[in-house]
């Protein structure tokens, strides 16, 4: 039997406000990779807010990814041929073939995770073809990382440096989407911002940032450490650690080679959470400008943008950090957990912290050696998510979930539904090559069904519909009375007040460092 030949590739050219770009169309999905959305953040623009790129006239090649942002050796697979550079402000677009000729499609803009120091929009996991096939336009973005994106030198010299640079990069990418996405078949009036981990933290931060108002119309937040946003004074202390490691002052730092800066950032990334459990070296800073307030208290005070929101966490978030071990991004051992709470109590004496008896009562059915994982999960991810949902649900429809699905292999590895394990299901990219062991002991067929349901819910939401599954499976909004939560497992179930016991233990005050 003669197989039909696959359609020949074509190379569609799109005109952006900076110049034309040439992508690839395989007959199902069109893609444009490595599209520059800001000028190179180098030289005098190092540690400055991003600016639009200079215009070009020749057609730029957009058939391969641009460099990933400078970072230490990453535990995250970056794909073959990936290269790092300080000049890294590129984005990638996927759209259904023919989208440019039809009715404008909703847009989903992805902000990757990686503890604010790792990752890229071009990771193989974030290939947007499967999502785009569900009639959305997908955009993935790079943003500056580590010492280049979240080193707060403005706390030492506010005239020469800008704050929250990685977050400003995402704002600039959203402005690019607003101004250009129609040429790719997208609807600039239907933009959903979504992200995971550090990318979800950036999303919750932008949900309360005045500069982001109107740049996105819906949001999806996956496993956000939403309370990991610190005062400027803490940012200043981290900047001093990095400058001390470099042996330079802030003014001299612009001439430091990029690889030396990356190494100094990696030192801070390891040192800060080791010395002060529960604190990240790099995170959003409350600067009174882009970030006027801590995101969770701002949302609870009615200060978040009134856009529909999906948010949630994974059942076993902290298991990944036990497995990684270094750096200790989450305090898991009883000693480090106690140290974290003691430091919070000293810094915020007005805060009513839960007692150890309260915590033990919440986890009465948990083995003593595993309690640290539950405490770390809830103080780092689950409770900040619930607190944010409580506030945001008063200004816009809000949908809370918990991802419980796992595979036999991940159970064997004691990971379960750990941090980031939902990502392949959201993206529809369940197989990432021979080194991926997720389905080695089975679970692929039910996993494909989990992915089908999640993609349907996420894309239906982006289209302005209710986040129902492919068979119309419902999902009620979260409210202070019903507290409906979608539990995602082999089958989906909407459960009222899934977090009742841990909410009672942790209380209603927002707990976190300032």
């Amino acid at each position: 039997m003669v197989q039909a030949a696959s359609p020949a590739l074509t190379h569609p050219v799109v005109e952006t406000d900076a110049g034309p770009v040439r992508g690839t169309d395989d007959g199902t999905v069109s893609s444009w990779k490595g599209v520059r959305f800001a000028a190179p953040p180098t030289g005098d623009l190092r540690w400055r807010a991003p600016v639009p790129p200079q215009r070009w006239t020749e057609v730029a090649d957009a058939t391969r990814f641009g460099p990933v942002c400078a970072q230490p050796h990453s535990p995250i697979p970056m794909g073959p041929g990936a290269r790092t550079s300080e000049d890294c402000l590129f984005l990638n677009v996927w759209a259904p073939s023919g989208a440019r000729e039809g009715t404008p499609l909703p847009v989903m803009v992805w902000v990757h995770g990686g503890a604010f120091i790792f990752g890229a929009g071009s990771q193989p996991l974030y290939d947007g073809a499967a999502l785009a096939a569900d009639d959305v336009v997908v955009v993935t973005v790079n943003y500056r990382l580590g010492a280049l994106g979240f080193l707060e030198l403005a706390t030492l010299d506010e005239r020469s440096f800008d704050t929250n640079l990685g977050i400003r990069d995402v704002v600039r990418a959203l402005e690019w989407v607003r101004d250009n996405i129609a040429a790719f078949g997208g609807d600039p009036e239907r933009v959903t911002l979504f992200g995971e981990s550090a990318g979800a933290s950036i999303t919750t931060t932008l949900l309360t940032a005045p500069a982001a108002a109107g740049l996105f119309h819906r949001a999806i937040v996956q496993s956000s450490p939403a309370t990991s946003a610190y005062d400027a004074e803490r940012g200043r202390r981290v900047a001093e650690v990095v400058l001390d490691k470099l042996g330079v002052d802030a003014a001299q730092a612009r001439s430091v080679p990029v690889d030396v800066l990356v190494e100094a950032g990696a030192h801070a990334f390891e040192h800060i959470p080791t010395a002060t459990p529960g604190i990240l070296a790099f995170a959003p800073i409350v600067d009174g400008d882009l970030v006027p307030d801590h995101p969770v208290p701002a949302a609870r005070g009615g200060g978040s943008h009134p856009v529909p929101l999906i948010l949630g966490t994974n059942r076993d978030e902290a298991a990944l950090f036990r497995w990684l071990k270094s750096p200790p991004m989450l305090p898991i051992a009883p000693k480090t957990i106690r140290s974290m709470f003691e430091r919070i109590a000293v810094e915020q004496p007005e805060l009513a912290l839960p007692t150890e008896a309260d915590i033990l009562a919440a986890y009465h059915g948990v083995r003593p050696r595993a309690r640290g994982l539950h405490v770390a999960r809830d103080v780092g991810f689950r409770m900040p998510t619930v607190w944010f949902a409580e506030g945001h649900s008063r200004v816009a429809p809000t949908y809370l979930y918990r991802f419980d699905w796992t595979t036999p292999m991940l159970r064997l590895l004691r990971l379960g539904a750990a941090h980031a394990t939902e990502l392949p299901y959201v993206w529809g990219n369940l197989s990432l090559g021979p080194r991926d062991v997720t389905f080695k002991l089975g679970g692929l067929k039910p996993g494909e069904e989990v992915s089908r349901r999640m993609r349907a819910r996420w894309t239906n939401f982006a289209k302005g519909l209710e986040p129902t599954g492919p068979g119309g499976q419902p999902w009620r909004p979260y409210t202070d009375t019903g507290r409906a939560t979608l539990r995602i497992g082999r089958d989906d179930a909407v459960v009222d007040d899934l977090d009742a016991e841990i909410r009672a233990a942790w209380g209603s005050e927002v707990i976190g460092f300032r």
Side-chain angles (χ1 to χ4, degrees), residues 235-258:
R236 182 188 65 78
R237 294 200 292 269
V238 174
E240 289 175 344
V241 167
V242 173
L243 292 177
D244 183 65
K245 178 69 174 177
L246 292 170
V248 301
D249 61 23
Q252 296 168 322
R254 277 209 171 90
S255 61
V256 172
V258 64

Side-chain angles (χ1 to χ4, degrees), residues 87-179:
D87 178 13
C88 64
L89 297 184
F90 299 93
L91 54 76
N92 316 292
V93 181
W94 287 264
S97 295
R100 291 178 298 140
E101 286 75 46
T103 301
L105 297 175
V107 183
M108 300 181 72
V109 179
W110 176 251
V111 189
H112 68 80
F116 303 100
I117 195 170
F118 301 119
S122 55
Q123 291 168 223
L125 178 57
Y126 307 140
D127 184 293
L131 274 182
D134 289 331
D135 286 330
V136 295
V137 174
V138 179
V139 180
T140 66
V141 306
N142 287 352
Y143 56 92
R144 282 172 282 180
L145 301 166
L148 290 162
F150 293 90
L151 185 65
E152 293 302 329
L153 296 179
T155 59
L156 304 174
D157 181 356
E158 63 181 10
R159 291 176 298 178
S160 301
F161 304 95
D162 293 314
T163 56
N164 288 305
L165 296 161
I167 302 175
R168 293 181 190 274
D169 294 341
V170 176
V171 173
R172 170 65 201 137
L174 288 167
E175 292 170 344
W176 184 95
V177 168
R178 176 195 63 199
D179 298 338

